[in-house]
Amino acid sequence: MSPIGIFDSGYGGLTILRQIRRLMPRYDYVYLGDNARAPYGTRSFEVVYEFTLQAVRRLFDMGCPLVILGCNTASAKALRSIQQNDLPKIDPTRRVLGVIRPTAEIIGKISKTRHVGIFATPGTIRSRTYDLEIAKLFPDIQVTGIACPMWVSLVENREYASPGADYFVKKRIDDLLTADPDIDAVILGCTHYPLLMDKIRTYMPGGIEIIPQGNYVAHSLQDYLANHPEMQQRISQGGTASFYTTEYPEQFNESASVFLDQPVEAHRITLS
Ligand code: DGL
């Protein structure tokens, strides 16, 4: 088995896995959620890097030739160091890809006003990775980032559909529209946030497009594999998905089954 590995701090990466499997069901996948140490979004650069590298190494040990960081925070804070400093030492033939670049690439086609909002974790917003990536590709676009520190916790604690979530969702939407009233597109720059979609739709004014990442990341991966046959041929094609969590599996199974709409039986592992 040489599956595609997908990593997130917790449940968020399941929104990426879901879209990738929908587009490319024939490959094998391994999902790893570091639920015991989520959220990452309020942690320092050094800690996110250290935890992400541990997860990547573990997915490599499980046989993954390719790992997707299904987490914006890890993509913003750890991806470049892992690609440039660690991969050449660990195994230069393996690859680690993130979710920010594929998301930044599509925004030029979507925004007409050239004013775009980003909702993300405090870590992703502070890193300014979206601002930099979008500026490289579309210098005419003005980006306003809003950190949403509570949103990941609402999802990890399965409070995303509760009435209490309304307050935090509305508050950040208000912050964004106050900061830039000309926005016509908002990127959900955290893979947990699609699980809050119903609430976000409720409070976002009509005419503003809400952009979850999964579909774009999936298509970008498909293009990547088409352009890298040497990698594509290494990935096993049994159509399976297996799940690992650093927390107790019972709760992971319950939540992940709801998020993925299929039964999930996860195994517990520890990362170090
Ligand atoms: N899903 C992660 C992201 O995309 C959230 C991280 C967290 O705060 O744990 O940024």
Side-chain angles (χ1 to χ4, degrees):
M1 278 271 276
S2 46
I4 295 175
I6 297 184
F7 167 69
D8 181 47
S9 60
Y11 296 117
L14 295 171
T15 64
I16 300 291
L17 173 68
R18 191 184 166 112
Q19 296 296 336
I20 291 178
R21 278 194 93 197
R22 189 172 280 174
L23 193 65
M24 293 173 284
R26 66 183 186 280
Y27 296 123
D28 292 307
Y29 296 92
V30 174
Y31 185 86
L32 170 54
D34 191 7
N35 299 77
R37 302 190 294 193
Y40 279 16
T42 42
R43 292 184 186 273
S44 66
F45 178 94
E46 288 74 14
V47 170
V48 172
Y49 165 66
E50 187 189 322
F51 288 180
T52 305
L53 183 58
Q54 290 170 359
V56 166
R57 282 182 183 278
R58 180 56 69 91
L59 286 165
F60 283 171
D61 289 347
M62 291 179 190
C64 301
L66 172 65
V67 171
I68 311 294
L69 302 183
C71 174
N72 291 265
T73 311
S75 300
K77 294 189 166 196
L79 179 62
R80 185 173 303 186
S81 302
I82 291 175
Q83 285 175 333
Q84 291 179 355
N85 304 330
D86 298 295
L87 263 187
K89 285 182 241 152
I90 302 171
D91 181 348
T93 73
R94 303 204 201 202
R95 287 289 171 270
V96 181
L97 304 175
V99 289
I100 293 183
R101 176 78 188 199
T103 312
E105 278 171 359
I106 51 96
I107 198 66
K109 288 199 200 99
I110 295 175
S111 175
K112 303 229 170 2
T113 63
R114 314 313 269 171
H115 288 249
V116 168
I118 315 284
F119 286 135
T121 65
T124 302
I125 296 296
R126 259 200 313 274
S127 76
R128 301 190 67 82
T129 310
Y130 269 102
D131 311 52
L132 296 170
E133 289 295 335
I134 293 174
K136 270 190 249 165
L137 298 165
F138 311 106
D140 60 322
I141 290 186
Q142 188 176 315
V143 177
T144 301
I146 298 289
C148 308
M150 284 298 292
W151 289 17
V152 168
S153 300
L154 290 170
V155 173
E156 286 292 313
N157 293 295
R158 298 183 60 187
E159 293 288 346
Y160 57 95
S162 75
D166 289 61
Y167 171 82
F168 292 103
V169 169
K170 183 176 181 312
K171 184 177 161 103
R172 297 308 170 202
I173 291 174
D174 290 347
D175 289 349
L176 178 65
L177 298 177
T178 307
D180 185 350
D182 296 327
I183 278 166
D184 69 349
V186 182
I187 293 172
L188 302 187
C190 169
T191 55
H192 281 68
Y193 295 176
L195 295 157
L196 287 159
M197 190 57 121
D198 287 347
K199 303 278 186 205
I200 297 171
R201 279 215 184 94
T202 302
Y203 295 104
M204 190 71 77
I208 299 182
E209 186 155 344
I210 306 163
I211 306 166
Q213 306 172 276
N215 188 34
Y216 300 109
V217 172
H219 279 94
S220 167
L221 177 60
Q222 190 177 46
D223 290 348
Y224 175 84
L225 293 173
N227 293 326
H228 295 83
E230 75 292 349
M231 176 58 76
Q232 194 269 336
Q233 282 153 18
R234 286 172 73 182
I235 299 166
S236 54
Q237 303 200 18
T240 65
S242 44
F243 297 85
Y244 294 85
T245 174
T246 54
E247 252 301 340
Y248 284 98
E250 289 72 20
Q251 196 181 333
F252 184 92
N253 293 344
E254 215 181 297
S255 297
S257 312
V258 174
F259 298 158
L260 289 179
D261 217 6
Q262 64 162 83
V264 167
E265 264 197 50
H267 310 275
R268 179 162 184 240
I269 53 164
T270 49
L271 292 175
S272 58

